[in-house]
Amino acid sequence: MKQLIIANWKCNPKTKEEAEMLFDLVKKGLKDVTEAEIVICPPFVYLASLFGLALGAQNCFWEESGAYTGEISTPMIKDLGLEYVIVGHSERRKYFGESDETVNRKIRAVLKEGLTPILCVGETQQERDSGQAEEVLKRQITLAVEGVSADDLSKFALAYEPIWAIGTGNPCDQKEAGKMLLFIRKVLAEIYDSSVAENINILYGGSVNSKNSASYIKEAKFQGLLVGGASLKADEFVELVKSAA
Ligand code: PGA
């Protein structure tokens, strides 16, 4: 199975010219890489001008269309030819009031269009320190997949992104991340069954760089990576992918 490496550009870069430049450098750098599926998730406004690598959306709305100023729906994302949609990123939960319930609605909207959701879950430092990390993950996962069939779940990618590791330069070490990976599979096995849980792609995200990317794949046995900051520097991202793939 191919690894899934997702570049989450977040709200970067500031101009279309820079976006195209970064994209082209990444595309050139990765042209010989066949062991990994690379998905670039730029801001929506750049999606229509980038070609040659798979693209994904960073967010979506749950209704198909209507009077919802500022929103972008899953049929629109599908019409652009995209396959992946990040749902429930911790920054959306923290700054834009996204809840487990809205995450679930978005997941269902993504699946309805036949797209692949990349569901993000993870605990804060405080939750980890107070021994609640597993409980938080279990709640986030259980509520996110409410009403989702086992068949649909097999199309998922699920990203374990401890919030304290995101953008901090302080990644979760691969041993600990590996434990959380097993816990996530256990939760899914309880909700569905073990064969469903074994087959879902689980990614790691949080301060991934070219030095540590391989350890999450080769040692902790994740099926892919969700990369923020390091995906904004073409050389670093290319090296990160090559080292992991
Ligand atoms: P980071 O972000 O790689 O900058 O830590 C990861 C993410 O937010 O998905």
mmCIF file of all heavy atoms in Angstrom, residues 2-6 39 83-88 107 110-111 115-121 141 144-145 152-160 184-185 188 199-204 223-226:
data_model
loop_
_atom_site.group_PDB
_atom_site.id
_atom_site.type_symbol
_atom_site.label_atom_id
_atom_site.label_comp_id
_atom_site.label_asym_id
_atom_site.label_seq_id
_atom_site.Cartn_x
_atom_site.Cartn_y
_atom_site.Cartn_z
ATOM 1 N N LYS A 2 0.438 2.253 -0.785
ATOM 2 C CA LYS A 2 1.198 3.495 -0.863
ATOM 3 C C LYS A 2 0.998 4.329 0.391
ATOM 4 O O LYS A 2 -0.104 4.391 0.941
ATOM 5 C CB LYS A 2 0.668 4.314 -2.036
ATOM 6 C CG LYS A 2 1.367 4.060 -3.332
ATOM 7 C CD LYS A 2 0.984 5.160 -4.297
ATOM 8 C CE LYS A 2 1.659 4.953 -5.619
ATOM 9 N NZ LYS A 2 1.407 6.042 -6.548
ATOM 10 N N GLN A 3 2.053 4.999 0.804
ATOM 11 C CA GLN A 3 1.876 5.941 1.910
ATOM 12 C C GLN A 3 1.165 7.184 1.409
ATOM 13 O O GLN A 3 1.278 7.542 0.251
ATOM 14 C CB GLN A 3 3.221 6.415 2.411
ATOM 15 C CG GLN A 3 4.081 5.380 3.005
ATOM 16 C CD GLN A 3 5.502 5.863 2.985
ATOM 17 O OE1 GLN A 3 5.768 7.050 3.061
ATOM 18 N NE2 GLN A 3 6.414 4.937 2.861
ATOM 19 N N LEU A 4 0.494 7.835 2.343
ATOM 20 C CA LEU A 4 -0.234 9.043 2.005
ATOM 21 C C LEU A 4 0.467 10.211 2.701
ATOM 22 O O LEU A 4 0.544 10.225 3.934
ATOM 23 C CB LEU A 4 -1.662 8.867 2.532
ATOM 24 C CG LEU A 4 -2.727 9.858 2.131
ATOM 25 C CD1 LEU A 4 -2.810 9.984 0.624
ATOM 26 C CD2 LEU A 4 -4.069 9.392 2.692
ATOM 27 N N ILE A 5 1.012 11.116 1.923
ATOM 28 C CA ILE A 5 1.685 12.257 2.549
ATOM 29 C C ILE A 5 0.955 13.541 2.154
ATOM 30 O O ILE A 5 0.878 13.897 0.977
ATOM 31 C CB ILE A 5 3.177 12.303 2.189
ATOM 32 C CG1 ILE A 5 3.830 10.988 2.653
ATOM 33 C CG2 ILE A 5 3.841 13.519 2.856
ATOM 34 C CD1 ILE A 5 5.323 10.901 2.499
ATOM 35 N N ILE A 6 0.373 14.167 3.167
ATOM 36 C CA ILE A 6 -0.482 15.332 2.936
ATOM 37 C C ILE A 6 0.270 16.600 3.330
ATOM 38 O O ILE A 6 0.771 16.691 4.451
ATOM 39 C CB ILE A 6 -1.760 15.253 3.808
ATOM 40 C CG1 ILE A 6 -2.382 13.868 3.779
ATOM 41 C CG2 ILE A 6 -2.746 16.361 3.447
ATOM 42 C CD1 ILE A 6 -3.203 13.536 2.611
ATOM 43 N N VAL A 39 -0.361 14.635 -1.586
ATOM 44 C CA VAL A 39 -1.550 15.468 -1.756
ATOM 45 C C VAL A 39 -1.259 16.859 -1.205
ATOM 46 O O VAL A 39 -0.914 17.000 -0.029
ATOM 47 C CB VAL A 39 -2.757 14.865 -0.993
ATOM 48 C CG1 VAL A 39 -4.003 15.722 -1.213
ATOM 49 C CG2 VAL A 39 -3.016 13.431 -1.413
ATOM 50 N N GLU A 83 -9.884 14.978 -4.478
ATOM 51 C CA GLU A 83 -10.275 13.710 -3.889
ATOM 52 C C GLU A 83 -10.276 13.745 -2.356
ATOM 53 O O GLU A 83 -10.996 13.006 -1.709
ATOM 54 C CB GLU A 83 -9.303 12.612 -4.375
ATOM 55 C CG GLU A 83 -9.760 11.231 -4.015
ATOM 56 C CD GLU A 83 -8.740 10.162 -4.383
ATOM 57 O OE1 GLU A 83 -7.924 10.382 -5.309
ATOM 58 O OE2 GLU A 83 -8.751 9.120 -3.726
ATOM 59 N N TYR A 84 -9.450 14.618 -1.780
ATOM 60 C CA TYR A 84 -9.263 14.600 -0.325
ATOM 61 C C TYR A 84 -9.771 15.883 0.329
ATOM 62 O O TYR A 84 -9.621 16.974 -0.241
ATOM 63 C CB TYR A 84 -7.773 14.460 0.003
ATOM 64 C CG TYR A 84 -7.179 13.158 -0.455
ATOM 65 C CD1 TYR A 84 -6.592 13.033 -1.716
ATOM 66 C CD2 TYR A 84 -7.214 12.029 0.367
ATOM 67 C CE1 TYR A 84 -6.049 11.829 -2.145
ATOM 68 C CE2 TYR A 84 -6.684 10.823 -0.049
ATOM 69 C CZ TYR A 84 -6.095 10.729 -1.303
ATOM 70 O OH TYR A 84 -5.561 9.538 -1.720
ATOM 71 N N VAL A 85 -10.300 15.732 1.543
ATOM 72 C CA VAL A 85 -10.722 16.901 2.324
ATOM 73 C C VAL A 85 -10.282 16.699 3.779
ATOM 74 O O VAL A 85 -10.639 15.687 4.401
ATOM 75 C CB VAL A 85 -12.262 17.101 2.311
ATOM 76 C CG1 VAL A 85 -12.637 18.390 3.033
ATOM 77 C CG2 VAL A 85 -12.805 17.102 0.883
ATOM 78 N N ILE A 86 -9.503 17.630 4.300
ATOM 79 C CA ILE A 86 -9.128 17.586 5.719
ATOM 80 C C ILE A 86 -10.354 18.038 6.527
ATOM 81 O O ILE A 86 -10.973 19.051 6.205
ATOM 82 C CB ILE A 86 -7.937 18.532 6.007
ATOM 83 C CG1 ILE A 86 -6.695 18.088 5.208
ATOM 84 C CG2 ILE A 86 -7.631 18.578 7.505
ATOM 85 C CD1 ILE A 86 -5.511 19.055 5.320
ATOM 86 N N VAL A 87 -10.679 17.266 7.551
ATOM 87 C CA VAL A 87 -11.844 17.617 8.377
ATOM 88 C C VAL A 87 -11.430 17.609 9.854
ATOM 89 O O VAL A 87 -10.768 16.681 10.314
ATOM 90 C CB VAL A 87 -13.008 16.615 8.161
ATOM 91 C CG1 VAL A 87 -14.195 16.984 9.045
ATOM 92 C CG2 VAL A 87 -13.437 16.586 6.693
ATOM 93 N N GLY A 88 -11.838 18.659 10.565
ATOM 94 C CA GLY A 88 -11.627 18.687 12.008
ATOM 95 C C GLY A 88 -10.205 18.976 12.442
ATOM 96 O O GLY A 88 -9.786 18.579 13.537
ATOM 97 N N ILE A 107 -17.867 15.209 7.783
ATOM 98 C CA ILE A 107 -17.431 13.873 7.362
ATOM 99 C C ILE A 107 -18.492 13.229 6.468
ATOM 100 O O ILE A 107 -18.203 12.678 5.408
ATOM 101 C CB ILE A 107 -17.190 12.972 8.613
ATOM 102 C CG1 ILE A 107 -15.972 13.437 9.394
ATOM 103 C CG2 ILE A 107 -17.106 11.499 8.234
ATOM 104 C CD1 ILE A 107 -14.657 12.988 8.847
ATOM 105 N N VAL A 110 -18.604 14.841 3.039
ATOM 106 C CA VAL A 110 -17.453 14.429 2.228
ATOM 107 C C VAL A 110 -17.706 13.029 1.646
ATOM 108 O O VAL A 110 -17.506 12.787 0.457
ATOM 109 C CB VAL A 110 -16.156 14.436 3.082
ATOM 110 C CG1 VAL A 110 -15.002 13.793 2.338
ATOM 111 C CG2 VAL A 110 -15.804 15.864 3.485
ATOM 112 N N LEU A 111 -18.178 12.120 2.497
ATOM 113 C CA LEU A 111 -18.420 10.749 2.050
ATOM 114 C C LEU A 111 -19.542 10.684 1.028
ATOM 115 O O LEU A 111 -19.490 9.904 0.077
ATOM 116 C CB LEU A 111 -18.747 9.866 3.253
ATOM 117 C CG LEU A 111 -17.560 9.598 4.186
ATOM 118 C CD1 LEU A 111 -18.046 8.995 5.496
ATOM 119 C CD2 LEU A 111 -16.531 8.688 3.521
ATOM 120 N N LEU A 115 -15.753 11.474 -1.709
ATOM 121 C CA LEU A 115 -14.398 11.994 -1.466
ATOM 122 C C LEU A 115 -13.819 11.313 -0.225
ATOM 123 O O LEU A 115 -14.526 10.668 0.531
ATOM 124 C CB LEU A 115 -14.460 13.508 -1.250
ATOM 125 C CG LEU A 115 -15.107 14.317 -2.381
ATOM 126 C CD1 LEU A 115 -15.367 15.748 -1.932
ATOM 127 C CD2 LEU A 115 -14.220 14.307 -3.612
ATOM 128 N N THR A 116 -12.520 11.483 -0.026
ATOM 129 C CA THR A 116 -11.843 10.871 1.122
ATOM 130 C C THR A 116 -11.631 11.892 2.230
ATOM 131 O O THR A 116 -10.907 12.869 2.029
ATOM 132 C CB THR A 116 -10.458 10.334 0.699
ATOM 133 O OG1 THR A 116 -10.651 9.377 -0.336
ATOM 134 C CG2 THR A 116 -9.724 9.683 1.861
ATOM 135 N N PRO A 117 -12.247 11.680 3.396
ATOM 136 C CA PRO A 117 -11.976 12.600 4.495
ATOM 137 C C PRO A 117 -10.659 12.254 5.188
ATOM 138 O O PRO A 117 -10.335 11.071 5.344
ATOM 139 C CB PRO A 117 -13.153 12.385 5.456
ATOM 140 C CG PRO A 117 -13.738 11.068 5.112
ATOM 141 C CD PRO A 117 -13.237 10.647 3.758
ATOM 142 N N ILE A 118 -9.932 13.274 5.567
ATOM 143 C CA ILE A 118 -8.768 13.081 6.428
ATOM 144 C C ILE A 118 -9.172 13.676 7.774
ATOM 145 O O ILE A 118 -9.160 14.893 7.957
ATOM 146 C CB ILE A 118 -7.531 13.789 5.856
ATOM 147 C CG1 ILE A 118 -7.207 13.215 4.475
ATOM 148 C CG2 ILE A 118 -6.324 13.629 6.791
ATOM 149 C CD1 ILE A 118 -6.419 14.156 3.606
ATOM 150 N N LEU A 119 -9.608 12.793 8.646
ATOM 151 C CA LEU A 119 -10.135 13.238 9.941
ATOM 152 C C LEU A 119 -8.988 13.460 10.924
ATOM 153 O O LEU A 119 -8.183 12.553 11.145
ATOM 154 C CB LEU A 119 -11.091 12.168 10.499
ATOM 155 C CG LEU A 119 -11.501 12.329 11.959
ATOM 156 C CD1 LEU A 119 -12.322 13.592 12.173
ATOM 157 C CD2 LEU A 119 -12.280 11.098 12.432
ATOM 158 N N CYS A 120 -8.919 14.671 11.499
ATOM 159 C CA CYS A 120 -7.842 14.962 12.451
ATOM 160 C C CYS A 120 -8.345 14.856 13.885
ATOM 161 O O CYS A 120 -9.385 15.423 14.222
ATOM 162 C CB CYS A 120 -7.313 16.376 12.243
ATOM 163 S SG CYS A 120 -6.667 16.658 10.603
ATOM 164 N N VAL A 121 -7.586 14.138 14.683
ATOM 165 C CA VAL A 121 -7.891 14.044 16.113
ATOM 166 C C VAL A 121 -6.594 14.225 16.900
ATOM 167 O O VAL A 121 -5.507 13.981 16.369
ATOM 168 C CB VAL A 121 -8.520 12.671 16.472
ATOM 169 C CG1 VAL A 121 -9.857 12.476 15.776
ATOM 170 C CG2 VAL A 121 -7.581 11.514 16.130
ATOM 171 N N ILE A 141 -13.163 10.481 17.997
ATOM 172 C CA ILE A 141 -13.362 9.485 16.942
ATOM 173 C C ILE A 141 -14.813 8.983 16.941
ATOM 174 O O ILE A 141 -15.473 8.940 15.904
ATOM 175 C CB ILE A 141 -12.390 8.299 17.112
ATOM 176 C CG1 ILE A 141 -10.946 8.770 16.921
ATOM 177 C CG2 ILE A 141 -12.720 7.175 16.129
ATOM 178 C CD1 ILE A 141 -9.895 7.768 17.360
ATOM 179 N N ALA A 144 -17.152 11.591 15.597
ATOM 180 C CA ALA A 144 -16.898 11.917 14.182
ATOM 181 C C ALA A 144 -17.476 10.866 13.244
ATOM 182 O O ALA A 144 -17.913 11.181 12.139
ATOM 183 C CB ALA A 144 -15.402 12.078 13.931
ATOM 184 N N VAL A 145 -17.460 9.607 13.672
ATOM 185 C CA VAL A 145 -17.895 8.536 12.754
ATOM 186 C C VAL A 145 -19.343 8.111 13.000
ATOM 187 O O VAL A 145 -19.797 7.121 12.411
ATOM 188 C CB VAL A 145 -16.961 7.289 12.803
ATOM 189 C CG1 VAL A 145 -15.536 7.677 12.444
ATOM 190 C CG2 VAL A 145 -17.022 6.591 14.152
ATOM 191 N N ASP A 152 -17.923 2.836 4.309
ATOM 192 C CA ASP A 152 -17.436 4.214 4.147
ATOM 193 C C ASP A 152 -16.173 4.456 4.966
ATOM 194 O O ASP A 152 -15.286 5.201 4.556
ATOM 195 C CB ASP A 152 -18.511 5.216 4.568
ATOM 196 C CG ASP A 152 -19.457 5.530 3.416
ATOM 197 O OD1 ASP A 152 -19.088 5.235 2.263
ATOM 198 O OD2 ASP A 152 -20.550 6.055 3.669
ATOM 199 N N LEU A 153 -16.108 3.830 6.127
ATOM 200 C CA LEU A 153 -14.929 4.046 6.969
ATOM 201 C C LEU A 153 -13.655 3.572 6.278
ATOM 202 O O LEU A 153 -12.582 4.144 6.459
ATOM 203 C CB LEU A 153 -15.069 3.337 8.320
ATOM 204 C CG LEU A 153 -14.026 3.842 9.304
ATOM 205 C CD1 LEU A 153 -14.528 5.077 10.042
ATOM 206 C CD2 LEU A 153 -13.574 2.787 10.269
ATOM 207 N N SER A 154 -13.796 2.553 5.446
ATOM 208 C CA SER A 154 -12.604 2.034 4.773
ATOM 209 C C SER A 154 -12.009 3.056 3.798
ATOM 210 O O SER A 154 -10.878 2.925 3.360
ATOM 211 C CB SER A 154 -12.943 0.734 4.048
ATOM 212 O OG SER A 154 -13.842 1.022 3.007
ATOM 213 N N LYS A 155 -12.777 4.110 3.474
ATOM 214 C CA LYS A 155 -12.249 5.151 2.569
ATOM 215 C C LYS A 155 -11.529 6.254 3.327
ATOM 216 O O LYS A 155 -10.974 7.172 2.739
ATOM 217 C CB LYS A 155 -13.411 5.758 1.780
ATOM 218 C CG LYS A 155 -14.085 4.761 0.868
ATOM 219 C CD LYS A 155 -15.387 5.310 0.289
ATOM 220 C CE LYS A 155 -16.237 4.179 -0.256
ATOM 221 N NZ LYS A 155 -17.670 4.358 0.012
ATOM 222 N N PHE A 156 -11.597 6.184 4.634
ATOM 223 C CA PHE A 156 -11.042 7.237 5.479
ATOM 224 C C PHE A 156 -9.527 7.250 5.532
ATOM 225 O O PHE A 156 -8.873 6.229 5.388
ATOM 226 C CB PHE A 156 -11.431 6.917 6.922
ATOM 227 C CG PHE A 156 -12.554 7.722 7.468
ATOM 228 C CD1 PHE A 156 -13.809 7.637 6.914
ATOM 229 C CD2 PHE A 156 -12.351 8.534 8.570
ATOM 230 C CE1 PHE A 156 -14.863 8.343 7.456
ATOM 231 C CE2 PHE A 156 -13.393 9.237 9.111
ATOM 232 C CZ PHE A 156 -14.655 9.149 8.567
ATOM 233 N N ALA A 157 -9.008 8.425 5.849
ATOM 234 C CA ALA A 157 -7.687 8.483 6.467
ATOM 235 C C ALA A 157 -7.916 9.208 7.784
ATOM 236 O O ALA A 157 -8.728 10.127 7.867
ATOM 237 C CB ALA A 157 -6.709 9.230 5.597
ATOM 238 N N LEU A 158 -7.228 8.767 8.809
ATOM 239 C CA LEU A 158 -7.392 9.383 10.117
ATOM 240 C C LEU A 158 -6.012 9.872 10.555
ATOM 241 O O LEU A 158 -5.042 9.121 10.484
ATOM 242 C CB LEU A 158 -7.940 8.316 11.064
ATOM 243 C CG LEU A 158 -8.671 8.780 12.301
ATOM 244 C CD1 LEU A 158 -9.692 7.755 12.711
ATOM 245 C CD2 LEU A 158 -7.691 9.052 13.407
ATOM 246 N N ALA A 159 -5.928 11.137 10.944
ATOM 247 C CA ALA A 159 -4.616 11.669 11.320
ATOM 248 C C ALA A 159 -4.547 11.897 12.818
ATOM 249 O O ALA A 159 -5.370 12.638 13.373
ATOM 250 C CB ALA A 159 -4.338 12.974 10.583
ATOM 251 N N TYR A 160 -3.568 11.249 13.466
ATOM 252 C CA TYR A 160 -3.317 11.540 14.881
ATOM 253 C C TYR A 160 -2.402 12.748 14.937
ATOM 254 O O TYR A 160 -1.246 12.687 14.512
ATOM 255 C CB TYR A 160 -2.666 10.344 15.591
ATOM 256 C CG TYR A 160 -2.217 10.710 16.984
ATOM 257 C CD1 TYR A 160 -3.132 11.264 17.893
ATOM 258 C CD2 TYR A 160 -0.896 10.555 17.385
ATOM 259 C CE1 TYR A 160 -2.727 11.646 19.161
ATOM 260 C CE2 TYR A 160 -0.484 10.929 18.659
ATOM 261 C CZ TYR A 160 -1.406 11.472 19.540
ATOM 262 O OH TYR A 160 -1.000 11.858 20.794
ATOM 263 N N ILE A 184 -5.958 4.054 18.697
ATOM 264 C CA ILE A 184 -6.954 4.464 17.696
ATOM 265 C C ILE A 184 -7.555 3.230 17.012
ATOM 266 O O ILE A 184 -8.762 3.130 16.825
ATOM 267 C CB ILE A 184 -6.320 5.434 16.670
ATOM 268 C CG1 ILE A 184 -6.030 6.768 17.343
ATOM 269 C CG2 ILE A 184 -7.231 5.630 15.448
ATOM 270 C CD1 ILE A 184 -5.186 7.723 16.523
ATOM 271 N N ARG A 185 -6.697 2.272 16.679
ATOM 272 C CA ARG A 185 -7.225 1.045 16.054
ATOM 273 C C ARG A 185 -8.148 0.295 17.016
ATOM 274 O O ARG A 185 -9.147 -0.275 16.607
ATOM 275 C CB ARG A 185 -6.088 0.127 15.603
ATOM 276 C CG ARG A 185 -5.318 0.670 14.429
ATOM 277 C CD ARG A 185 -4.734 -0.434 13.553
ATOM 278 N NE ARG A 185 -3.710 0.117 12.685
ATOM 279 C CZ ARG A 185 -3.935 0.781 11.556
ATOM 280 N NH1 ARG A 185 -5.162 0.978 11.136
ATOM 281 N NH2 ARG A 185 -2.936 1.261 10.840
ATOM 282 N N LEU A 188 -11.524 1.969 17.016
ATOM 283 C CA LEU A 188 -12.257 1.650 15.786
ATOM 284 C C LEU A 188 -12.742 0.202 15.797
ATOM 285 O O LEU A 188 -13.831 -0.103 15.307
ATOM 286 C CB LEU A 188 -11.378 1.910 14.553
ATOM 287 C CG LEU A 188 -11.090 3.389 14.283
ATOM 288 C CD1 LEU A 188 -10.002 3.531 13.223
ATOM 289 C CD2 LEU A 188 -12.356 4.122 13.851
ATOM 290 N N ASN A 199 -7.648 -1.953 8.546
ATOM 291 C CA ASN A 199 -7.493 -1.513 7.162
ATOM 292 C C ASN A 199 -7.515 -0.006 6.938
ATOM 293 O O ASN A 199 -7.213 0.457 5.853
ATOM 294 C CB ASN A 199 -8.563 -2.166 6.285
ATOM 295 C CG ASN A 199 -8.204 -3.618 6.035
ATOM 296 O OD1 ASN A 199 -7.021 -3.947 5.911
ATOM 297 N ND2 ASN A 199 -9.185 -4.491 6.021
ATOM 298 N N ILE A 200 -7.863 0.738 7.964
ATOM 299 C CA ILE A 200 -7.934 2.183 7.772
ATOM 300 C C ILE A 200 -6.523 2.795 7.824
ATOM 301 O O ILE A 200 -5.670 2.350 8.594
ATOM 302 C CB ILE A 200 -8.902 2.806 8.813
ATOM 303 C CG1 ILE A 200 -8.982 4.316 8.639
ATOM 304 C CG2 ILE A 200 -8.525 2.468 10.219
ATOM 305 C CD1 ILE A 200 -10.131 4.913 9.434
ATOM 306 N N ASN A 201 -6.296 3.781 6.968
ATOM 307 C CA ASN A 201 -4.990 4.449 6.941
ATOM 308 C C ASN A 201 -4.897 5.453 8.077
ATOM 309 O O ASN A 201 -5.739 6.346 8.176
ATOM 310 C CB ASN A 201 -4.796 5.213 5.632
ATOM 311 C CG ASN A 201 -4.568 4.278 4.463
ATOM 312 O OD1 ASN A 201 -4.008 3.202 4.639
ATOM 313 N ND2 ASN A 201 -5.003 4.691 3.295
ATOM 314 N N ILE A 202 -3.862 5.313 8.887
ATOM 315 C CA ILE A 202 -3.683 6.262 9.986
ATOM 316 C C ILE A 202 -2.368 7.019 9.775
ATOM 317 O O ILE A 202 -1.320 6.421 9.535
ATOM 318 C CB ILE A 202 -3.728 5.549 11.359
ATOM 319 C CG1 ILE A 202 -5.063 4.796 11.474
ATOM 320 C CG2 ILE A 202 -3.558 6.559 12.494
ATOM 321 C CD1 ILE A 202 -5.322 4.123 12.797
ATOM 322 N N LEU A 203 -2.482 8.353 9.842
ATOM 323 C CA LEU A 203 -1.326 9.215 9.582
ATOM 324 C C LEU A 203 -0.886 9.889 10.881
ATOM 325 O O LEU A 203 -1.684 10.040 11.806
ATOM 326 C CB LEU A 203 -1.681 10.325 8.580
ATOM 327 C CG LEU A 203 -2.604 10.007 7.399
ATOM 328 C CD1 LEU A 203 -2.775 11.251 6.531
ATOM 329 C CD2 LEU A 203 -2.049 8.875 6.573
ATOM 330 N N TYR A 204 0.374 10.312 10.903
ATOM 331 C CA TYR A 204 0.844 11.119 12.034
ATOM 332 C C TYR A 204 1.075 12.551 11.552
ATOM 333 O O TYR A 204 1.586 12.773 10.438
ATOM 334 C CB TYR A 204 2.160 10.564 12.613
ATOM 335 C CG TYR A 204 2.740 11.553 13.610
ATOM 336 C CD1 TYR A 204 2.193 11.655 14.888
ATOM 337 C CD2 TYR A 204 3.752 12.449 13.240
ATOM 338 C CE1 TYR A 204 2.656 12.616 15.781
ATOM 339 C CE2 TYR A 204 4.216 13.405 14.133
ATOM 340 C CZ TYR A 204 3.659 13.479 15.398
ATOM 341 O OH TYR A 204 4.095 14.448 16.270
ATOM 342 N N GLN A 223 0.669 4.932 8.234
ATOM 343 C CA GLN A 223 0.556 4.767 6.776
ATOM 344 C C GLN A 223 0.792 6.078 6.024
ATOM 345 O O GLN A 223 0.677 6.124 4.802
ATOM 346 C CB GLN A 223 -0.830 4.234 6.397
ATOM 347 C CG GLN A 223 -1.001 2.755 6.654
ATOM 348 C CD GLN A 223 -1.279 2.455 8.110
ATOM 349 O OE1 GLN A 223 -2.129 3.098 8.713
ATOM 350 N NE2 GLN A 223 -0.555 1.517 8.677
ATOM 351 N N GLY A 224 1.085 7.120 6.784
ATOM 352 C CA GLY A 224 1.343 8.383 6.108
ATOM 353 C C GLY A 224 1.574 9.506 7.097
ATOM 354 O O GLY A 224 1.653 9.281 8.310
ATOM 355 N N LEU A 225 1.670 10.723 6.562
ATOM 356 C CA LEU A 225 2.019 11.896 7.371
ATOM 357 C C LEU A 225 1.162 13.085 6.966
ATOM 358 O O LEU A 225 0.796 13.220 5.792
ATOM 359 C CB LEU A 225 3.494 12.240 7.149
ATOM 360 C CG LEU A 225 4.506 11.142 7.482
ATOM 361 C CD1 LEU A 225 5.870 11.462 6.864
ATOM 362 C CD2 LEU A 225 4.633 10.964 8.990
ATOM 363 N N LEU A 226 0.887 13.931 7.932
ATOM 364 C CA LEU A 226 0.218 15.204 7.647
ATOM 365 C C LEU A 226 1.207 16.289 8.054
ATOM 366 O O LEU A 226 1.601 16.382 9.218
ATOM 367 C CB LEU A 226 -1.097 15.290 8.437
ATOM 368 C CG LEU A 226 -1.975 16.525 8.326
ATOM 369 C CD1 LEU A 226 -2.133 16.987 6.895
ATOM 370 C CD2 LEU A 226 -3.360 16.235 8.894
#
